[in-house]
Amino acid sequence: HQHASLIVRGRDSPGIVAAVAGVLREHHANIVSLDQYSDNPQGGAFFQRTVFSLDNLRAALPEIESALRERLAREFDLEFTVRDMSVPKRVAIFASKADHCLLDLLWRHRRGQLPITVPMVISNHTDTAEEVRGFGIPFVHVPTGDGEHSEVEAEHLRLLRGNVDLVVLARYMRILSGEFLSELGVPVINIHHSFLPAFIGAAPYAKAKQRGVKLIGATAHYVTEDLDQGPIIEQDVARVTHADTVTDLQRRGADVERTVLSRAVRWHCEDRVIRHDNGTIVFT
Amino acid sequence: HQHASLIVRGRDSPGIVAAVAGVLREHHANIVSLDQYSDNPQGGAFFQRTVFSLDNLRAALPEIESALRERLAREFDLEFTVRDMSVPKRVAIFASKADHCLLDLLWRHRRGQLPITVPMVISNHTDTAEEVRGFGIPFVHVPTGDGEHSEVEAEHLRLLRGNVDLVVLARYMRILSGEFLSELGVPVINIHHSFLPAFIGAAPYAKAKQRGVKLIGATAHYVTEDLDQGPIIEQDVARVTHADTVTDLQRRGADVERTVLSRAVRWHCEDRVIRHDNGTIVFT
Amino acid sequence: HQHASLIVRGRDSPGIVAAVAGVLREHHANIVSLDQYSDNPQGGAFFQRTVFSLDNLRAALPEIESALRERLAREFDLEFTVRDMSVPKRVAIFASKADHCLLDLLWRHRRGQLPITVPMVISNHTDTAEEVRGFGIPFVHVPTGDGEHSEVEAEHLRLLRGNVDLVVLARYMRILSGEFLSELGVPVINIHHSFLPAFIGAAPYAKAKQRGVKLIGATAHYVTEDLDQGPIIEQDVARVTHADTVTDLQRRGADVERTVLSRAVRWHCEDRVIRHDNGTIVFT
Amino acid sequence: HQHASLIVRGRDSPGIVAAVAGVLREHHANIVSLDQYSDNPQGGAFFQRTVFSLDNLRAALPEIESALRERLAREFDLEFTVRDMSVPKRVAIFASKADHCLLDLLWRHRRGQLPITVPMVISNHTDTAEEVRGFGIPFVHVPTGDGEHSEVEAEHLRLLRGNVDLVVLARYMRILSGEFLSELGVPVINIHHSFLPAFIGAAPYAKAKQRGVKLIGATAHYVTEDLDQGPIIEQDVARVTHADTVTDLQRRGADVERTVLSRAVRWHCEDRVIRHDNGTIVFT
């Protein structure tokens, strides 16, 4: 049996679940899991994630898609996407010098914990090259130091466009321009090393130490033009004390970062995350 | 708008969701939330919790119930229960001397955080009588020290039968007999002051101290004839160190106990918990 | 055996521990626990908390204090405070309408979990009056609505000055002036219903919902003239999802608030918290 | 400045701290941190960990050791060990097929987060050979399948004796005999994939699924002849639901296992863990 995910979104109204389930039923698909959320059953925003299975999924998918379009468009004004989940998402990972988030993703990928392929790792440093290649993954060095920002981004676009479904910034310490994001055309997930919105910007661990907080955190979010302001996918924290130095905070923080980023990437690639305004619906 | 919960369970097969949603659609009910779980989409055990709303719910409920019976019985061999959620469950709380779990429940009840009424508190001690009555709730003292166990249980049954939908043992330190449980005929939730199945039986904090564990826990579970073996509803833990005495463990544990028990009671009374074999499906 | 706490602070230099332990040894005191922290052993800021026991503590304390003054002043330029721990701190609690933090403190107090007396609860509302008096604690209503802010604070000062060692703001929704704080002369602990420094100011739960965070928090801190900027004593968080409404966040948040505030009050009253610059050293 | 750790243990009595601090003072050592614990100040078991710094530590250490022996033996009947912390502990890691605990240790080691050297990894399988050697660490394959248990252990002893200060079982799925442990003569740390003492023995995740627990855990402990009964160093848990399969539990559990084991190894190698009866004192 093969699985497909169906994401439906739009204005809530009675009968949506019946309509969706009816189409799937007619095509003999079996609903494996179903999650839905509505911020107001009387005409609010509606979101549904359905996973269904079918013997001859690949062959039947176009027909199901067409029936869904017919049905969800006629009766309801809903958007939807349906996707064969056996096709892994193609994920490019950006890294700089720190390796903890990058290696955690590659290691989980190798263990089969992430439904992805990794066509390339791009870095502005060469520190992680050997290790990345040890995983059998191409490593591309795109230095950023001296060139024009736009030239670097042009090279990134040449490498990425058409080749990836997602870009993950695994502690990549450079800002991406709005032009780049819009030309790229696929989502970008970043890990920020603080509990956003606290300590936005640079050096969050130093700021956390200075402020004397008792917990430090990490936040995985979609990248938007507004730095550190994109929709949050996942967050977590770790307890710290006055005795922890900034270096200790970085070490403890690194554990939270890699965990949070890996969760966010997995959820995104399992079609569990829906962006809505500046937030997310996460069906875990 | 009024809300009803619909719990469906049975053998999984294609079309269940469509059938349920279809019936609700036909009766103009609006699905507010829907959760489902199947341990195997090919004929495994299937569970679904649907909350729906309707203007004239109370009037329409018998008709919906009859349509569901027709539909779910004809096509599928499914059990279901449908319930008007505006009717709070009637909960009797049993306590002994410790007040932390009892007071937490009463306080949340007063704040409107629990969809329950509390027709009575029963205790084998009088320590909490004044406080309970301060909440406007009847306190019944049923001493257990000298009488026959069966006489005590007979008195409990006289008080409870027909009057309650749930019994909560809020650190009630007496064992209930299998006869009592079967004659009572409503679920009983207990809070066990350890992370079950570790430290079953008496004095778990002393055992935890002795074993040198680094976390202590609490477990809310349905009571069955097998002591400490009933289906687990919720668990949580707190971090402890070598420096914590048994008294410290009790104090820290009390915080976990009241939190875990309150969650379990709330989830049960919102129809979020389904018993299955010796486990639970919890739709949170 | 009676216990005393000794807090020592100043510039770190070799020999401090030996000096303190020597004085205690000479007076036949037994060190029960000892914690120390130095942000730099070469001349940094040094903090030490020692708990010692002695049979005739009360009688011996002045002599020990004098020996410590002699020793720590002669060899080292250190400040210290020594305190008989059997004397509970006198704590006034300020509340408004919300009762969760207030009741949690009073419950723990009654259970003997807090080394405090509560000479009075002061509120600008009467909602909690009956409940507070049920604990046998005086409730004083000081309305704030119409009067001059300075008149209200003058009444507060008349009630408090000389009568309390600590003021706890248990969700007291009014700002205290710098004049009031300086005339009061004892520490004030506040619970802020967010993970500071995120969401400073009013309505943090609404802001958290808007920002789509996945964790909400609470922060107990000392009150300074700069609102929400005082030294942090304790923080904690709870996990939330997109499905939680602002009301849900408030309910979940209330649990975190009362836990965090109770911990902060207990630690303060056990002399475990030392203020330093705008942070705290917390020996737990 | 170089650092040394001093662990003192024995029967509690007044003056120990003064004696220890006095010796260090006389040798111009600077106390960097000091933790102590006594289970009863009146003659109970006493434990102290002191870290001190000194310019010419290596040269002065024998003299300090001799002064401590003189002082702590003459006045008090105490055991102690003092150790130059700049000398990393030599740690052999045992693994089988699973790589998550092994790789986490090697990554942290490479990042400088563990004060250890890793002279060898020993495995009864070859799955991790290439990866281990990629870290520049010798990998030794000692198959266990067909040979006598005693022959395998004899080979282990030939490899280890005199060469290591600690053995870490990073999901090594074979039992060590009591003879081996006593001939080995250095501590052995194991990671057990459950929250001990729940689910001792084999297949804990399957048992956890069967029992319907809501949290799964991992336990790092010293290995003794009694399987799964040795002193616990560290534990942690992760939340799971009814929807998690045994495979999901293993994946989530793996994250907890590697975190817990890495913490335990770091604490042990920083001399933060003291065994006492069947428990541990952990100064974190």
Side-chain angles (χ1 to χ4, degrees):
Chain A
H1 278 278
Q2 290 165 309
H3 289 62
S5 70
L6 166 63
I7 305 296
V8 177
R9 58 184 298 164
R11 203 163 159 276
D12 199 1
S13 62
I16 297 178
V17 177
V20 170
V23 170
L24 295 177
R25 177 79 191 97
E26 288 154 19
H27 290 79
H28 310 289
N30 201 350
I31 293 178
V32 172
S33 80
L34 192 159
D35 293 283
Q36 67 158 46
Y37 169 67
S38 164
D39 63 10
N40 181 356
Q42 266 69 49
F46 172 86
F47 307 90
Q48 185 180 310
R49 175 185 186 262
T50 310
V51 175
F52 59 89
S53 68
L54 201 58
D55 268 340
N56 57 339
L57 180 70
R58 213 157 298 174
L61 215 47
E63 208 177 322
I64 293 176
E65 198 167 352
S66 146
L68 284 166
R69 192 171 302 117
E70 175 74 12
R71 193 71 189 282
L72 297 178
R74 205 188 41 193
E75 286 186 48
F76 313 90
D77 186 28
L78 295 169
E79 294 171 49
F80 73 92
T81 52
V82 62
R83 199 178 73 81
D84 180 349
M85 294 182 83
S86 68
V87 179
K89 294 204 176 168
R90 300 165 301 165
V91 179
I93 307 175
F94 277 52
S96 288
K97 291 186 168 191
D99 65 354
H100 56 282
C101 287
L102 170 64
L103 290 184
D104 205 59
L105 288 169
L106 295 183
W107 170 75
R108 287 180 195 275
H109 169 47
R110 186 172 64 189
R111 283 166 74 86
Q113 290 185 5
L114 294 174
I116 64 173
T117 60
V118 183
M120 73 192 83
V121 168
I122 294 175
S123 179
N124 53 343
H125 294 277
T126 55
D127 306 57
T128 61
E130 199 181 346
E131 188 102 17
V132 168
R133 289 177 182 138
F135 279 92
I137 288 168
F139 176 92
V140 186
H141 180 220
V142 182
T144 50
D146 40 359
E148 283 282 307
H149 195 53
S150 58
E151 284 178 24
V152 170
E153 295 202 329
E155 182 162 357
H156 286 163
L157 285 173
R158 271 194 301 278
L159 290 164
L160 298 170
R161 228 161 6 186
N163 295 327
V164 300
D165 304 305
L166 175 71
V167 169
V168 174
L169 307 185
R171 298 299 309 275
Y172 181 69
M173 308 306 279
R174 309 283 295 191
I175 294 167
L176 308 182
S177 73
E179 291 73 37
F180 175 80
L181 291 172
S182 82
E183 290 202 31
L184 180 61
V186 302
V188 179
I189 294 178
N190 181 47
I191 181 74
H192 191 276
H193 45 318
S194 92
F195 181 80
L196 293 177
F199 311 125
I200 55 170
Y205 290 126
K207 287 176 192 161
K209 175 72 185 167
Q210 209 166 21
R211 187 65 185 85
V213 292
K214 306 304 183 190
L215 299 168
I216 52 160
T219 303
H221 64 95
Y222 289 112
V223 176
T224 59
E225 226 176 317
D226 294 322
L227 189 65
D228 301 342
Q229 298 291 330
I232 293 170
I233 305 170
E234 171 63 340
Q235 305 189 288
D236 215 337
V237 294
R239 190 159 279 276
V240 297
T241 77
H242 60 267
D244 287 303
T245 62
V246 171
T247 307
D248 293 332
L249 299 191
Q250 283 166 341
R251 178 175 52 74
R252 288 165 184 268
D255 281 357
V256 183
E257 290 163 25
R258 66 175 185 170
T259 307
V260 165
L261 180 60
S262 291
R263 265 188 229 144
V265 170
R266 188 158 61 80
W267 293 344
H268 174 91
C269 292
E270 293 174 351
D271 305 315
R272 295 179 180 280
V273 189
I274 306 175
R275 290 170 68 155
H276 176 52
D277 293 342
N278 201 41
T280 58
I281 317 299
V282 184
F283 293 125
T284 55
Chain B
H1 279 281
Q2 290 165 308
H3 288 64
S5 69
L6 166 63
I7 305 296
V8 176
R9 58 185 299 167
R11 202 163 161 277
D12 198 1
S13 61
I16 297 177
V17 177
V20 170
V23 170
L24 295 177
R25 178 78 191 98
E26 288 154 20
H27 291 79
H28 310 290
N30 202 350
I31 293 179
V32 172
S33 79
L34 192 160
D35 293 284
Q36 67 158 45
Y37 169 66
S38 164
D39 63 9
N40 181 354
Q42 266 69 51
F46 172 86
F47 308 90
Q48 185 180 310
R49 175 187 187 262
T50 311
V51 175
F52 59 90
S53 69
L54 201 58
D55 268 338
N56 57 340
L57 181 69
R58 214 157 297 173
L61 215 47
E63 208 177 322
I64 293 176
E65 196 165 355
S66 147
L68 285 166
R69 192 172 301 115
E70 175 74 11
R71 193 74 189 282
L72 297 178
R74 202 186 44 189
E75 287 186 47
F76 312 91
D77 186 28
L78 295 170
E79 295 170 50
F80 74 92
T81 52
V82 63
R83 199 177 73 81
D84 181 349
M85 293 182 85
S86 68
V87 180
K89 295 205 175 170
R90 301 164 301 165
V91 179
I93 306 175
F94 278 52
S96 288
K97 292 186 167 190
D99 65 354
H100 56 281
C101 287
L102 171 64
L103 291 184
D104 204 61
L105 288 169
L106 297 182
W107 170 77
R108 288 180 194 275
H109 169 46
R110 186 173 63 189
R111 284 166 73 87
Q113 290 186 2
L114 295 173
I116 64 174
T117 61
V118 183
M120 74 193 82
V121 168
I122 294 175
S123 178
N124 53 342
H125 295 277
T126 55
D127 306 57
T128 61
E130 200 182 344
E131 187 103 19
V132 168
R133 288 177 183 139
F135 280 92
I137 287 167
F139 176 93
V140 186
H141 180 219
V142 182
T144 50
D146 41 358
E148 282 282 306
H149 194 53
S150 59
E151 285 178 22
V152 170
E153 294 201 329
E155 183 162 356
H156 286 163
L157 285 173
R158 272 194 302 278
L159 290 163
L160 298 170
R161 229 163 4 189
N163 295 327
V164 299
D165 304 305
L166 175 72
V167 169
V168 175
L169 307 185
R171 297 298 310 273
Y172 180 69
M173 308 306 280
R174 310 281 297 188
I175 292 167
L176 308 182
S177 72
E179 291 73 36
F180 174 79
L181 291 172
S182 82
E183 290 202 31
L184 179 61
V186 301
V188 180
I189 293 177
N190 181 48
I191 181 72
H192 191 276
H193 45 319
S194 91
F195 180 81
L196 293 176
F199 312 123
I200 57 172
Y205 290 126
K207 286 176 193 162
K209 174 74 185 165
Q210 208 167 21
R211 187 64 185 86
V213 292
K214 305 305 183 190
L215 299 169
I216 52 159
T219 303
H221 63 95
Y222 289 113
V223 176
T224 58
E225 228 176 316
D226 295 322
L227 188 65
D228 301 343
Q229 298 289 331
I232 292 170
I233 304 169
E234 171 62 341
Q235 305 188 288
D236 215 336
V237 293
R239 190 158 279 275
V240 297
T241 77
H242 60 267
D244 287 302
T245 63
V246 171
T247 307
D248 293 332
L249 299 191
Q250 283 165 343
R251 177 174 54 75
R252 288 166 184 268
D255 281 357
V256 184
E257 291 164 24
R258 65 176 186 169
T259 308
V260 165
L261 181 60
S262 291
R263 264 187 230 147
V265 170
R266 189 160 60 83
W267 292 343
H268 174 90
C269 293
E270 292 175 352
D271 305 314
R272 295 179 180 279
V273 189
I274 306 175
R275 290 170 69 156
H276 175 52
D277 294 341
N278 200 43
T280 58
I281 317 300
V282 184
F283 292 125
T284 54
Chain C
H1 278 281
Q2 291 164 308
H3 289 62
S5 69
L6 167 64
I7 305 296
V8 177
R9 58 184 299 165
R11 202 163 161 278
D12 198 2
S13 60
I16 298 177
V17 177
V20 170
V23 170
L24 294 177
R25 177 79 191 98
E26 288 155 20
H27 290 80
H28 310 290
N30 200 351
I31 293 178
V32 172
S33 80
L34 192 158
D35 292 284
Q36 68 157 47
Y37 169 67
S38 164
D39 63 8
N40 181 355
Q42 267 70 51
F46 172 87
F47 308 90
Q48 185 178 311
R49 175 185 186 262
T50 310
V51 175
F52 59 89
S53 68
L54 202 58
D55 268 339
N56 57 340
L57 180 70
R58 212 157 299 173
L61 215 47
E63 208 177 321
I64 292 175
E65 198 166 353
S66 144
L68 283 167
R69 190 171 303 116
E70 175 72 12
R71 192 71 188 281
L72 297 178
R74 202 188 42 194
E75 286 187 48
F76 313 90
D77 185 28
L78 296 170
E79 293 170 50
F80 73 93
T81 53
V82 63
R83 198 178 74 81
D84 181 350
M85 293 183 83
S86 68
V87 179
K89 294 204 176 170
R90 300 165 301 166
V91 179
I93 307 175
F94 277 52
S96 288
K97 291 185 167 191
D99 66 354
H100 56 283
C101 287
L102 171 64
L103 289 184
D104 205 61
L105 288 169
L106 296 183
W107 282 342
R108 291 180 194 274
H109 169 47
R110 186 171 63 188
R111 273 181 211 129
Q113 290 184 6
L114 294 173
I116 63 174
T117 60
V118 183
M120 75 192 81
V121 169
I122 294 175
S123 179
N124 53 343
H125 295 276
T126 55
D127 306 56
T128 61
E130 201 182 344
E131 188 104 19
V132 167
R133 288 179 182 136
F135 282 91
I137 288 168
F139 176 93
V140 186
H141 180 218
V142 182
T144 49
D146 42 357
E148 283 282 307
H149 194 54
S150 59
E151 284 177 24
V152 170
E153 294 201 329
E155 183 162 356
H156 286 164
L157 285 173
R158 271 194 301 278
L159 290 163
L160 298 169
R161 228 164 2 189
N163 294 328
V164 300
D165 304 305
L166 175 71
V167 169
V168 175
L169 307 185
R171 296 300 308 275
Y172 181 70
M173 308 306 280
R174 308 283 295 189
I175 293 167
L176 309 181
S177 73
E179 292 72 38
F180 175 78
L181 291 172
S182 83
E183 290 201 32
L184 180 61
V186 301
V188 179
I189 293 177
N190 181 46
I191 181 74
H192 191 276
H193 46 318
S194 92
F195 180 81
L196 292 177
F199 310 123
I200 56 170
Y205 290 127
K207 287 176 192 159
K209 175 72 185 167
Q210 210 167 22
R211 187 67 184 84
V213 293
K214 305 306 182 188
L215 301 168
I216 52 159
T219 303
H221 64 94
Y222 289 111
V223 176
T224 59
E225 226 175 317
D226 295 322
L227 189 65
D228 302 342
Q229 298 291 332
I232 293 170
I233 305 170
E234 171 64 341
Q235 305 188 288
D236 215 337
V237 293
R239 189 160 279 275
V240 296
T241 77
H242 59 268
D244 287 302
T245 62
V246 172
T247 307
D248 293 332
L249 299 190
Q250 282 165 343
R251 177 175 53 76
R252 287 165 185 268
D255 282 356
V256 184
E257 291 164 24
R258 64 177 186 166
T259 308
V260 165
L261 181 60
S262 291
R263 265 187 229 145
V265 170
R266 188 160 60 80
W267 293 343
H268 175 90
C269 293
E270 293 174 351
D271 305 315
R272 295 180 180 278
V273 188
I274 306 175
R275 289 169 70 156
H276 175 53
D277 292 341
N278 201 41
T280 59
I281 316 299
V282 183
F283 292 125
T284 55
Chain D
H1 279 280
Q2 290 164 310
H3 289 63
S5 69
L6 167 63
I7 305 295
V8 177
R9 58 185 299 166
R11 204 164 159 276
D12 198 2
S13 61
I16 297 177
V17 177
V20 170
V23 170
L24 294 178
R25 178 80 190 98
E26 288 155 20
H27 290 79
H28 310 289
N30 200 351
I31 293 178
V32 172
S33 80
L34 191 159
D35 293 284
Q36 67 157 47
Y37 169 67
S38 164
D39 62 9
N40 181 354
Q42 267 67 52
F46 172 87
F47 307 89
Q48 186 179 309
R49 174 184 185 265
T50 311
V51 174
F52 59 90
S53 68
L54 202 58
D55 268 339
N56 57 340
L57 180 69
R58 212 157 299 173
L61 214 48
E63 209 178 322
I64 293 175
E65 197 167 353
S66 145
L68 284 166
R69 191 172 302 116
E70 176 72 12
R71 193 73 190 281
L72 297 178
R74 202 187 44 192
E75 285 186 50
F76 312 92
D77 186 29
L78 295 170
E79 294 170 49
F80 74 93
T81 52
V82 62
R83 198 177 74 80
D84 180 349
M85 293 182 84
S86 68
V87 180
K89 294 204 176 170
R90 301 165 301 166
V91 179
I93 306 175
F94 277 53
S96 288
K97 291 185 168 191
D99 66 354
H100 56 284
C101 288
L102 171 63
L103 289 185
D104 205 61
L105 288 169
L106 297 183
W107 282 340
R108 290 179 194 274
H109 169 47
R110 187 172 61 188
R111 274 182 211 128
Q113 290 185 3
L114 294 174
I116 64 174
T117 60
V118 183
M120 74 192 82
V121 169
I122 293 175
S123 178
N124 53 341
H125 293 277
T126 54
D127 306 57
T128 61
E130 201 183 344
E131 187 104 19
V132 168
R133 288 178 183 138
F135 282 91
I137 288 168
F139 175 93
V140 186
H141 180 221
V142 182
T144 50
D146 42 357
E148 282 282 306
H149 194 54
S150 58
E151 285 178 24
V152 170
E153 294 200 329
E155 183 162 356
H156 286 163
L157 285 173
R158 270 194 302 278
L159 289 163
L160 299 170
R161 229 163 3 190
N163 295 327
V164 299
D165 304 304
L166 174 72
V167 169
V168 175
L169 307 185
R171 297 300 309 276
Y172 181 70
M173 307 307 280
R174 309 281 297 188
I175 294 167
L176 308 181
S177 73
E179 291 73 38
F180 174 79
L181 291 172
S182 83
E183 289 202 32
L184 180 60
V186 300
V188 179
I189 293 177
N190 182 47
I191 182 72
H192 191 276
H193 46 317
S194 92
F195 180 81
L196 293 177
F199 310 123
I200 56 170
Y205 290 124
K207 287 176 192 160
K209 175 72 184 165
Q210 209 166 22
R211 187 68 185 83
V213 292
K214 305 304 183 190
L215 300 169
I216 52 159
T219 303
H221 64 95
Y222 288 112
V223 176
T224 59
E225 227 175 318
D226 295 321
L227 189 66
D228 302 342
Q229 298 290 332
I232 293 169
I233 304 170
E234 171 63 340
Q235 305 188 287
D236 215 334
V237 294
R239 190 159 280 273
V240 296
T241 77
H242 60 267
D244 287 303
T245 63
V246 172
T247 306
D248 292 332
L249 299 190
Q250 283 166 343
R251 177 174 53 76
R252 287 166 184 268
D255 281 356
V256 184
E257 291 164 25
R258 64 177 186 167
T259 308
V260 165
L261 180 60
S262 291
R263 266 188 228 144
V265 170
R266 189 161 58 83
W267 292 345
H268 174 91
C269 292
E270 293 175 352
D271 305 314
R272 295 179 180 279
V273 189
I274 306 175
R275 290 170 69 156
H276 175 54
D277 294 341
N278 201 43
T280 58
I281 317 299
V282 183
F283 291 125
T284 55

